[in-house]
Amino acid sequence: MHIVIVGGGAGGLSCAARLRRLDNSARITVLEKTNEVSVASCGLPYYISGIIADRANMQVASAAMLKKVFDIDVRLCCSVKNIDPQNKIVILQDNAELSYDKLVLAPGAKAFMPDIPGIDKPHCFTVKSLNDADNIKSYIAHHTIRSAVVVGGGFIGIETAENLYETGIKTFLAEAAPQILPPLDDDMVCQLHSRLRQKGIELHLQDGLKEITDSEVKLNSGKSLPADLVILALGIRPDTSFLAQSGIELTEKGLIKTDKYMQTNIPDIYACGDSVAIKDFVSGKHAMIALAGPANRQGRLIADHIAGRAYPYNASQGTGIVKVFDLTAAFTGNNEKQLKANNIPYEKMLVWSSSHAGYYPNATSLALKVLYDKDAKILGAQAVGYENIDKIIDVIATVQRLGGTAADLRDAELCYAPPYSSAKSPVNIIGMAIENVRQKLVNPYFGTDFSDMFVLDVRPAKNYEAEHIPGAVNIPAAQIRERLDELPKDKPVLVHCFKGYTSYIICRILMANGFNNVFSYAGGWQQYKAEFEDK
């Protein structure tokens, strides 16, 4: 049996290697249109800055190694022109033909290049391939680069901006949307905006690219940014134009449609990776979820199906993580924007917690947000902080994958010792907070609009005097029972503390004393400050 795989990235080579492990007699051919395979694409920004110093570490496997160890025929610089499914033939760019028994499409995606003046200037680059990274490093080495503009605030844009900064280059970042990193909601991404600005990266949000000159990037607002180097990180598009006449079903955006076994509408043709329309785990709708983990699992699944070991691909949650200097942001499932767009009803909870026991040295703060439905089933989660962010989101992603609820977060039995976590992990705490709301023990409040509310600051007086919400009244928590008569009963009372826990306790006291319109500020002063500093 001859299996032809189009694309030598994560999905294609995962499929090829798994096939060889399952079937030693199959003939396996990988067609890759570039001169590189198995590149660690997620590490490209760190290779540009030199954090990853050895170029050899950027290539997981070479064509020669794949031939020697796996007996896989990898053909580099080999573009596919067309596919003839009726005769089971792949037509190459030079019109040569290659027959197949099974065909796996893993062509990946290409960088989006808008049609604007100056886009093809020699100091403009994308960060999609190892060749791209080599070219950027070479350009920096042979030119005087005082300033760089990164256009696009997604994963690659943010990571590249950070790594250019680390090389000593003054860096600007322009993003047409109101925020960077679309998977995060605005009440979570605000911390990252602040951190980028604190480090000296100049952010220009809601301002798209208009023109590139020899020395400047011009934005739609009329602003001009000095640019000796321009990095275009404007997203990706599926690289599927060669399938236009194949009869393979594509979405309007050019993504390949597949069933739960990653089969296309044409027998014996499969597809995986960034070019495939993947079912979203929450909405059930098809989307482009371009992540290495799903691509690898899809490639493996296809190999198993070909080898007679079929099992289904059960959608993607879109779980991801990104480093922003010393901060980390991670997420899984849907965010508020996605849920609203798909008309999915939801509730939310946001807490601030500590990375480990507060009495053990060097504990740091983190913010955690969970979105859930009327039955407390997890719809999505986001976390931002300095430590343990991956661990927290990995736990919640697993609970979500298994159909779990807030009660499962509350009851999760997780590792604890003072250097690593707290007896009540942030995962437990947010589960408890959600259950408190569901049991009507407290009403949470989100945002920074306190119109017509009596804002009660229950922090110690010294903290209130140092900084506080304008108009807030300070009654320290220890004095609240003695000063209840100072609080109004004819308007909403918003209680806030440092992180949201003490305010919950005070709300319970107020509710027990006849105050029926009381709210606890989710995340407390730390959340307010994070959002306010981003305005």
Side-chain angles (χ1 to χ4, degrees), residues 244-262:
Q245 307 302 318
S246 68
I248 294 172
E249 288 187 9
L250 306 176
T251 69
E252 291 182 359
K253 295 183 178 181
L255 294 166
I256 304 169
K257 293 183 179 181
T258 64
D259 65 11
K260 63 183 179 180
Y261 298 109
M262 309 308 297

Side-chain angles (χ1 to χ4, degrees), residues 286-518:
H286 284 95
M288 186 179 192
I289 301 177
L291 295 169
N296 273 283
R297 294 195 301 278
Q298 292 158 19
R300 179 186 176 93
L301 180 153
I302 291 170
D304 278 35
H305 193 275
I306 291 173
R309 302 167 179 262
Y311 64 93
Y313 188 79
N314 293 318
S316 282
Q317 292 162 264
T319 306
I321 191 166
V322 61
K323 175 182 177 294
V324 183
F325 291 102
D326 47 356
L327 275 176
T328 299
F331 47 85
T332 191
N334 280 193
N335 59 29
E336 288 195 62
K337 296 183 289 289
Q338 291 170 300
L339 294 172
K340 289 175 182 176
N342 290 309
N343 297 312
I344 298 174
Y346 69 93
E347 300 292 337
K348 63 182 176 181
M349 179 49 65
L350 190 155
V351 301
W352 279 73
S353 188
S354 296
S355 58
H356 59 252
Y359 58 83
Y360 188 87
N362 302 318
T364 57
S365 293
L366 61 90
L368 174 59
K369 179 178 182 178
V370 167
L371 305 170
Y372 58 98
D373 69 11
K374 62 181 178 60
D375 298 316
K377 189 174 180 180
I378 308 303
L379 300 175
Q382 303 161 42
V384 177
Y386 296 90
E387 297 178 87
N388 294 341
I389 299 303
D390 54 341
K391 177 169 70 174
I392 289 166
I393 292 299
D394 281 346
V395 169
I396 298 177
T398 302
V399 172
Q400 181 186 25
R401 168 66 61 171
L402 298 175
T405 67
D408 294 306
L409 302 182
R410 177 197 64 195
D411 299 337
E413 189 170 333
L414 307 173
C415 291
Y416 161 61
Y420 302 104
S421 186
S422 299
K424 289 187 287 190
S425 157
V427 171
N428 301 136
I429 288 172
I430 202 161
M432 293 172 184
I434 293 171
E435 285 301 298
N436 283 339
V437 173
R438 286 171 53 78
Q439 294 170 28
K440 303 188 184 305
L441 295 175
V442 67
N443 296 312
Y445 187 82
F446 307 90
T448 56
D449 181 5
F450 312 123
S451 304
D452 301 321
M453 301 184 86
F454 181 91
V455 181
L456 174 61
D457 186 334
V458 297
R459 298 175 300 155
K462 64 178 182 180
N463 300 107
Y464 172 84
E465 290 165 3
E467 51 184 358
H468 60 266
I469 295 172
V473 173
N474 180 229
I475 303 179
Q479 303 174 20
I480 198 70
R481 290 183 184 274
E482 304 162 5
R483 300 173 61 180
L484 291 175
D485 58 351
E486 298 178 32
L487 304 179
K489 289 189 176 181
D490 59 347
K491 64 189 307 185
V493 176
L494 176 67
V495 187
H496 89 82
C497 58
F498 286 110
K499 297 182 178 180
Y501 175 66
T502 302
S503 63
Y504 161 62
I505 295 172
I506 301 305
C507 282
R508 293 302 302 153
I509 293 173
L510 296 184
M511 292 168 74
N513 282 273
F515 291 85
N516 299 317
N517 201 3
V518 179

Side-chain angles (χ1 to χ4, degrees), residues 88-269:
K88 289 193 168 184
I89 291 172
V90 174
I91 303 166
L92 306 180
Q93 203 62 46
D94 60 1
N95 291 320
E97 297 182 350
L98 188 65
S99 63
Y100 66 84
D101 296 299
K102 304 285 185 181
L103 176 64
V104 180
L105 301 172
K110 55 188 176 183
F112 173 60
M113 299 290 283
D115 184 17
I116 63 163
I119 199 77
D120 55 353
K121 286 189 175 293
H123 65 304
C124 296
F125 300 89
T126 59
V127 186
K128 189 68 179 65
S129 67
L130 187 52
N131 285 333
D132 290 338
D134 285 336
N135 291 336
I136 293 169
K137 286 171 71 74
S138 175
Y139 193 86
I140 292 173
H142 293 93
H143 296 79
T144 301
I145 308 297
R146 295 174 295 271
S147 61
V149 176
V150 177
V151 186
F155 288 105
I156 292 295
I158 296 302
E159 291 169 343
T160 303
E162 175 184 338
N163 280 276
L164 289 174
Y165 169 91
E166 296 291 4
T167 66
I169 298 172
K170 171 62 179 176
T171 305
F172 302 82
L173 192 144
E175 167 57 56
Q179 66 167 76
I180 62 170
L181 297 172
L184 296 175
D185 288 319
D186 54 5
D187 54 2
M188 297 297 285
V189 78
C190 55
Q191 297 179 68
L192 306 181
H193 289 166
S194 297
R195 196 73 188 108
L196 287 167
R197 293 183 179 114
Q198 290 164 6
K199 294 298 270 186
I201 291 181
E202 195 172 300
L203 284 184
H204 294 268
L205 302 175
Q206 287 186 283
D207 209 352
L209 179 62
K210 183 178 181 180
E211 183 182 356
I212 299 170
T213 71
D214 290 337
S215 60
E216 292 180 327
V217 165
K218 296 184 178 181
L219 303 178
N220 290 332
S221 65
K223 294 178 183 176
S224 293
L225 307 178
D228 301 312
L229 175 71
V230 180
I231 303 296
L232 301 167
L234 294 162
I236 56 176
R237 300 293 184 270
D239 194 4
T240 56
S241 58
F242 70 98
L243 299 174
Q245 307 302 318
S246 68
I248 294 172
E249 288 187 9
L250 306 176
T251 69
E252 291 182 359
K253 295 183 178 181
L255 294 166
I256 304 169
K257 293 183 179 181
T258 64
D259 65 11
K260 63 183 179 180
Y261 298 109
M262 309 308 297
Q263 298 177 111
T264 70
N265 60 303
I266 296 178
D268 297 322
I269 300 181

